[in-house]
Amino acid sequence: MYEPIRTKSVHSMAALKPDFPHRSRAEELDIRLAGHLTALLTVTDELRALTPDPGLDDAAERLAGQAARLRDGHAPLRAAPSATEPDPAHVAALHQRAHTLAGWALVVATSRADAAVTTLAAERLRSHAAALGIAA
């Protein structure tokens, strides 16, 4: 009644020679975490330009160091700040964005058991929460 299948399954042929590289879960988490840290670094650089603070300078250097470590020594690209005058609403929006990014970095760093980045992300989360006047 049914004719037998005479060709190999598409799935079995794909298993023999994949035509695209596969990454492990750890590699995917490293890429995602480096992206969150680079985005947080960009917002931190913008805040540093608007409200100079030695704490932000230190945080930016630590963020750049951790992002470079996750990217096999390649330093993250640093954007030039776009704003020149500290508008309170803009600064608050930047702190809110940085708070969100630090939270995302904290989640990924915790899932990959990276103590250094977990500590750094938690510090940044608390710092931006304090700047916003919310409990972290």
Side-chain angles (χ1 to χ4, degrees):
M1 183 167 200
Y2 293 105
E3 186 173 334
I5 298 173
R6 296 189 178 139
T7 61
K8 291 187 177 184
S9 164
V10 174
H11 301 291
S12 67
M13 290 177 13
L16 297 176
K17 184 180 174 196
D19 59 350
F20 56 91
H22 293 279
R23 291 188 285 255
S24 68
R25 180 176 186 275
E27 291 170 326
E28 290 291 341
L29 288 174
D30 284 350
I31 292 167
R32 180 174 288 176
L33 185 55
H36 290 322
L37 291 177
T38 302
L40 181 56
L41 175 61
T42 301
V43 175
T44 301
D45 283 342
E46 185 86 14
L47 282 167
R48 287 175 53 217
L50 294 173
T51 57
D53 178 15
L56 289 173
D57 296 339
D58 177 55
E61 292 309 312
R62 291 173 59 204
L63 288 166
Q66 290 299 326
R69 178 182 62 86
L70 291 166
R71 297 179 70 231
D72 297 325
H74 294 94
L77 295 175
R78 310 268 307 252
S82 60
T84 55
E85 296 203 20
D87 174 29
H90 182 63
V91 171
L94 287 172
H95 278 294
Q96 181 62 48
R97 179 72 179 144
H99 184 265
T100 301
L101 288 166
W104 290 348
L106 180 61
V107 169
V108 177
T110 302
S111 71
R112 71 180 293 278
D114 189 328
V117 178
T118 299
T119 303
L120 177 59
E123 288 173 8
R124 300 313 312 147
L125 190 68
R126 282 191 300 273
S127 172
H128 294 294
L132 292 167
I134 58 175

